[in-house]
Amino acid sequence: MLFVAKWDKADISRSLKEYCFPIAVFGIQILIMILIMINLLQDNNRQIITTMNVPVDVPITVKISQYIACMVGVFTAGDLVTGAIYVGRRPIKKRYLDQEIAASGSRVARRSSFMRAMSVALDKEHPWKWEISNSMRIVEGALVVVVSFIFICQAYSAIDLWLDFAAVQFVGLLDDTAFMLSQNGFLGQTAKQLSQRVLKYEIFSENQKKKKRVRRLRLALFIVIGLFMWAGLSYFVFNQANLTYACRSITVTVGETRHQYARHFSGHYDIQDFKINGRAVYVQVQGRGAFLAYCSRDGINRWTISPLEQAQPGSPVPETWTKPSNEKEIPQDPCGKIVLQSQRTKTHDVSEIGDSMKFWTMDDADADIKCNMCDVSRKGGDCSFRGECHPEKRFCQCSQGFFGDSCQFSGPCTELVGHDELHGLYNRGYQKEWDLMYLGGDAVMVYDRPVYVQNVSMQYQRGTFLIITSLTMFCYLL
């Protein structure tokens, strides 16, 4: 429509309407696409921010739908492909085309007749208007493909994928919809006259041989764009399979509860290099030994925390594993000795569990899971500028004198003084003062909390370490 719009100095108001209508339709399309793209690429409410907000992983049904959507998206990218083919070509009025087809005589005579007709047609039009119109079509078609690729990669479910796909394709067809409404007079007389003028033009192919070349070129463009989309999608699928987008380390916090045994499962957990039930596995760094994995058996469908089992020599590897391990203590069945469990979910992202944990008794637990996904590029900003982010495991390595999952705590205190309410301990030989325990010059931490000790005389003539945390108290003999 922009190509056939005419500028009449005698009627500037009508001329502006003819030019503004196609430009407005194009502007609305581009604005919608840009807003969608910005929304897709913005940081969302998930704890883990990945490349292009790609999910940690998705079911196989979604992955199949993604590859099919790429193929469908390519074959509906008509504006991009057609615009690329029309670069350098010129439209001609159909009446001149009819004259050329009706011309008689030799091939040279028909060719000469057509060129004269083409020259007459092009003398009345501005070539730059066609190039601008075609460039606008290419830009709009390219944005449709890019936006389609982004939401295809971000899909969580097949139904949402196809709904988003249909919405973006609708935006890409707004120009065709506007043309149809213009033809029927719904958008005013100016738009109707523009649409009628468009129907008088056609892109001319001189012979059947060139028509075949155009068809082959169109097919080649479809294939190239499709291969690029599949290659990009395969890159993200490969990273999902290798747990690239999964949280590298987590912090489990179990609060005060009558189930004292559950408190031992607090602390820092690191991701492992294998999967259970298609999802990441996390093993406790300090403590008595625990792991977090996903249980899908018997419709349980929960993330669970269980104690590590001592592997027996020659014991078979659980069928739910995708990669075996040779460690002495290995995660066994996550559906076995469950201590803590999440709400029923099928998510692959452990950071979405939050504070929905329950005990094995199904009582609500004062427990939550936090992803320690610090950003290396922030140069310590995620670690309160008191430490550095580990480049691989993505947790904060605190500087001396600071601790906590974000290095938010100073200290720890080098000395504690017991409260008078602990007089029962003092009667058994313990003192009120407790000193911070060091190992190799560094403070000893258990469950991410400092350890305090004192040497006392016991009937066994051996020293005693009394370890006090904010949760509970343990006594170890040396």
Side-chain angles (χ1 to χ4, degrees):
M1 286 187 174
L2 180 63
F3 170 69
V4 300
K6 296 180 179 180
W7 184 264
D8 187 358
K9 293 182 179 180
D11 193 353
I12 296 179
S13 176
R14 179 179 178 81
S15 300
L16 288 174
K17 289 180 180 179
E18 290 198 7
Y19 276 89
C20 288
F21 177 73
I23 293 175
V25 173
F26 172 76
I28 290 174
Q29 285 183 289
I30 298 302
L31 178 61
I32 294 175
M33 288 295 176
I34 292 176
L35 291 176
I36 293 175
M37 185 183 301
I38 292 175
N39 183 71
L40 291 173
L41 296 179
Q42 276 181 338
D43 298 344
N44 50 31
N45 294 326
R46 295 168 52 235
Q47 288 192 34
I48 303 177
I49 300 174
T50 60
T51 304
M52 281 176 37
N53 287 330
V54 175
V56 172
D57 204 354
V58 292
I60 186 64
T61 54
V62 178
K63 293 179 180 178
I64 295 174
S65 298
Q66 288 174 319
Y67 279 97
I68 295 176
C70 285
M71 182 174 61
V72 175
V74 168
F75 285 100
T76 55
D79 287 341
L80 174 61
V81 175
T82 303
I85 292 175
Y86 285 172
V87 171
R89 303 180 67 185
R90 294 289 185 271
I92 186 174
K93 289 184 178 180
K94 291 183 179 179
R95 62 188 180 93
Y96 293 106
L97 180 62
D98 295 338
Q99 290 176 5
E100 190 279 333
I101 294 175
S104 59
S106 64
R107 179 178 179 183
V108 175
R110 291 197 305 270
R111 172 76 176 177
S112 177
S113 175
F114 167 74
M115 294 305 294
R116 286 194 301 271
M118 179 72 79
S119 176
V120 172
L122 293 179
D123 284 344
K124 297 179 180 179
E125 305 296 342
H126 300 286
W128 60 268
K129 288 172 61 179
W130 168 252
E131 295 299 340
I132 291 177
S133 301
N134 197 47
S135 299
M136 291 167 64
R137 173 184 290 190
I138 294 175
V139 171
E140 177 264 321
L143 269 178
V144 170
V145 173
V146 172
V147 173
S148 298
F149 177 73
I150 293 175
F151 76 71
I152 287 173
C153 294
Q154 293 182 354
Y156 277 89
S157 64
I159 183 64
D160 291 337
L161 168 61
W162 291 112
L163 287 175
D164 292 339
F165 184 83
V168 173
Q169 292 303 313
F170 171 75
V171 177
L173 295 174
L174 278 179
D175 53 347
D176 297 332
T177 304
F179 182 79
M180 181 192 68
L181 294 175
S182 300
Q183 279 185 296
N184 293 278
F186 289 103
L187 299 179
Q189 280 299 116
T190 302
K192 184 176 182 179
Q193 292 176 3
L194 280 174
S195 63
Q196 291 174 347
R197 222 177 290 164
V198 169
L199 297 176
K200 296 179 181 181
Y201 287 84
E202 183 175 334
I203 300 297
F204 179 75
S205 295
E206 297 181 35
N207 51 47
Q208 292 297 324
K209 184 179 292 186
K210 286 195 173 183
K211 287 183 179 180
K212 290 182 179 179
R213 291 178 182 174
V214 170
R215 286 196 295 268
R216 291 172 182 172
L217 178 59
R218 181 178 287 108
L219 180 60
L221 288 174
F222 280 138
I223 293 174
V224 170
I225 297 173
L227 289 177
F228 270 103
M229 292 185 70
W230 275 356
L233 178 60
S234 298
Y235 167 79
F236 291 114
V237 170
F238 176 79
N239 285 333
Q240 287 174 332
N242 287 315
L243 301 173
T244 303
Y245 305 124
C247 183
R248 312 310 300 172
S249 66
I250 61 175
T251 296
V252 177
T253 304
V254 182
E256 297 295 337
T257 172
R258 63 185 179 88
H259 301 290
Q260 295 186 8
Y261 178 66
R263 302 172 187 173
H264 307 316
F265 294 90
S266 293
H268 180 90
Y269 289 66
D270 279 347
I271 195 172
Q272 305 301 298
D273 59 352
F274 56 87
K275 295 182 179 181
I276 293 181
N277 294 321
R279 291 163 175 80
V281 180
Y282 298 86
V283 173
Q284 191 180 32
V285 176
Q286 293 179 330
R288 297 186 177 183
F291 74 100
L292 182 145
Y294 185 78
C295 170
S296 61
R297 191 179 64 198
D298 301 329
I300 295 178
N301 295 330
R302 300 173 188 269
W303 286 86
T304 65
I305 296 180
S306 306
L308 283 171
E309 300 276 343
Q310 184 74 25
Q312 301 298 325
S315 60
V317 177
E319 295 180 357
T320 53
W321 283 36
T322 56
K323 182 177 180 181
S325 174
N326 295 321
E327 300 292 334
K328 292 183 179 181
E329 287 188 342
I330 59 176
Q332 297 291 324
D333 183 9
C335 305
K337 298 180 179 179
I338 298 175
V339 177
L340 292 167
Q341 58 187 351
S342 70
Q343 298 284 357
R344 186 171 283 108
T345 178
K346 290 188 177 180
T347 181
H348 290 76
D349 188 355
V350 69
S351 66
E352 294 182 357
I353 298 175
D355 57 356
S356 66
M357 303 297 290
K358 293 179 177 292
F359 291 113
W360 68 95
T361 59
M362 296 306 296
D363 297 332
D364 289 333
D366 180 16
D368 66 85
I369 294 177
K370 175 182 176 294
C371 178
N372 303 326
M373 204 73 166
C374 57
D375 188 353
V376 180
S377 64
R378 294 198 61 197
K379 298 180 179 180
D382 286 349
C383 302
S384 307
F385 295 103
R386 298 169 173 176
E388 296 293 334
C389 182
H390 193 284
E392 295 180 1
K393 296 184 178 180
R394 306 291 291 277
F395 68 90
C396 290
Q397 295 176 303
C398 301
S399 303
Q400 187 173 3
F402 301 97
F403 67 104
D405 54 8
S406 300
C407 305
Q408 69 270 35
F409 300 123
S410 301
C413 297
T414 59
E415 183 178 359
L416 290 182
V417 178
H419 197 274
D420 290 339
E421 292 180 357
L422 299 176
H423 60 84
L425 292 176
Y426 310 144
N427 294 337
R428 294 197 297 268
Y430 294 105
Q431 306 298 320
K432 283 190 175 183
E433 293 78 16
W434 302 83
D435 296 323
L436 181 64
M437 183 178 183
Y438 291 92
L439 181 63
D442 297 325
V444 177
M445 308 287 287
V446 175
Y447 305 122
D448 296 324
R449 292 163 174 81
V451 178
Y452 294 88
V453 300
Q454 65 177 222
N455 292 320
V456 297
S457 299
M458 298 294 291
Q459 58 181 348
Y460 299 108
Q461 303 299 318
R462 290 184 292 179
T464 300
F465 283 161
L466 184 63
I467 301 177
I468 299 180
T469 72
S470 62
L471 296 178
T472 187
M473 181 182 300
F474 306 93
C475 183
Y476 295 90
L477 298 179
L478 298 182

